[in-house]
Amino acid sequence: MKKSGVLFLLITTGIVLGTASGIYYFWRQLTQLPEWYAQGEKNPKTYAQIQKSGAAVEKKIEEKAQSIPQPNRVSPDTKIVANALPDKPSSPNPNVQVALNSQELNDLLVTKITEKSGGQPLPNSVKGFHTSLKDDKLKTGAVVDVQELKNSGLGSKQQNLLSEITQKIPMSDRKVYIGVEGKPEMQNGKLRFDQNAKIQIGNMSFTIAEVANRLGIPAAKVQEQLNIEMKLRGLDIKDIDFKDGNAILRGEAK
């Protein structure tokens, strides 16, 4: 999760909370950490471990794609015969289907998020990243240390925005969960959440429409912040589905 993405969602929180009553109640809700983090806080998975696992997942996908026989693949030893009858029109590559469990999908998503930010590793302010699958929905997000985020080399404009948020919400010394939940689809090579997705801060959820309205920007711009580029070696993903706690990737072998 990029610093700019983290800050964007925290700005959302500040604007929503700024119009709310019962500040203490909302503060408690917003700073509540997920159960998965509390359980694994003493021994969190490092970014290097996630990166290694993500690379292994992508290799698994590539090997699966390569194992599918491709139609009309010409061997280097094949001789071209003059005046031979033209081949039948080549058919498209057959669909490749790969099932990933929630941990594999989590590690793959983290590596793709870091690729989106120019290959830079997750900021030290990100203390844990988690993905879960339930029914046809994906829930993914990170726990962020707000104090470390403030000290991570943000630009002056971003620092001012973060200071403004932490004045509204006393959480400078807190870790905060930031995530998104919804039914994503593949569109133009990106994992894209639909308009019914919800942005979660702590134990509170906000619709994309609510966020867009508070920020005074189009909902499409909020959705764009949530998109994840999914370029994989050996597989052009066309569709994603969820079944029995697994993510089913479908696409064409490259």
Side-chain angles (χ1 to χ4, degrees):
M1 183 173 290
K2 298 189 297 180
K3 295 176 188 176
S4 59
V6 171
L7 194 58
F8 174 82
L9 295 177
L10 284 175
I11 290 169
T12 299
T13 306
I15 291 175
V16 172
L17 183 60
T19 63
S21 59
I23 298 298
Y24 178 71
Y25 169 79
F26 281 95
W27 173 79
R28 287 290 301 273
Q29 294 296 309
L30 289 167
T31 56
Q32 184 169 323
L33 295 176
E35 195 172 300
W36 61 261
Y37 181 76
Q39 291 175 345
E41 187 173 5
K42 293 182 180 178
N43 190 26
K45 203 171 184 181
T46 66
Y47 171 69
Q49 290 173 323
I50 292 177
Q51 190 178 39
K52 183 177 180 180
S53 176
V57 172
E58 189 161 0
K59 181 67 175 175
K60 167 186 171 178
I61 295 171
E62 183 180 23
E63 290 176 348
K64 175 70 173 180
Q66 290 177 345
S67 70
I68 305 296
Q70 302 299 307
N72 301 318
R73 176 175 285 170
V74 179
S75 167
D77 299 325
T78 301
K79 296 180 180 180
I80 300 176
V81 180
N83 300 321
L85 292 174
D87 292 334
K88 294 180 181 179
S90 61
S91 58
N93 290 343
N95 284 340
V96 178
Q97 181 171 301
V98 185
L100 303 180
N101 62 38
S102 58
Q103 187 61 60
E104 290 175 321
L105 180 61
N106 176 80
D107 296 347
L108 182 63
L109 291 178
V110 172
T111 58
K112 293 307 164 186
I113 288 171
T114 56
E115 286 178 9
K116 184 178 178 180
S117 60
Q120 297 180 355
L122 291 173
N124 291 332
S125 56
V126 176
K127 298 303 179 183
F129 207 103
H130 187 262
T131 298
S132 62
L133 306 171
K134 186 175 181 180
D135 300 327
D136 61 347
K137 289 187 178 181
L138 166 69
K139 183 176 182 179
T140 186
V143 171
V144 179
D145 187 309
V146 178
Q147 185 62 48
E148 289 194 27
L149 179 62
K150 291 178 70 173
N151 298 330
S152 63
L154 293 172
S156 58
K157 184 177 180 180
Q158 293 178 321
Q159 281 283 9
N160 291 337
L161 285 171
L162 187 55
S163 296
E164 184 179 338
I165 294 165
T166 53
Q167 285 175 5
K168 290 182 178 180
I169 314 170
M171 59 181 182
S172 292
D173 61 343
R174 295 276 173 166
K175 295 182 180 73
V176 179
Y177 173 75
I178 302 172
V180 59
E181 179 177 9
K183 180 174 173 54
E185 60 182 15
M186 291 302 303
Q187 190 176 91
N188 299 324
K190 292 182 179 180
L191 186 71
R192 179 181 181 277
F193 285 88
D194 64 21
Q195 62 183 0
N196 296 317
K198 292 190 176 181
I199 294 170
Q200 185 172 349
I201 312 289
N203 202 34
M204 299 189 69
S205 295
F206 311 99
T207 66
I208 287 178
E210 286 174 334
V211 172
N213 183 55
R214 297 293 186 185
L215 295 176
I217 61 176
K221 188 171 182 179
V222 177
Q223 284 181 291
E224 182 62 32
Q225 290 285 331
L226 307 176
N227 290 348
I228 302 174
E229 195 85 36
M230 293 293 285
K231 292 182 179 179
L232 301 179
R233 297 190 307 270
L235 181 65
D236 183 11
I237 304 177
K238 299 297 185 182
D239 186 30
I240 184 169
D241 199 4
F242 305 101
K243 184 179 180 181
D244 299 330
N246 291 323
I248 313 298
L249 307 182
R250 296 187 181 91
E252 295 178 355
K254 292 181 180 178

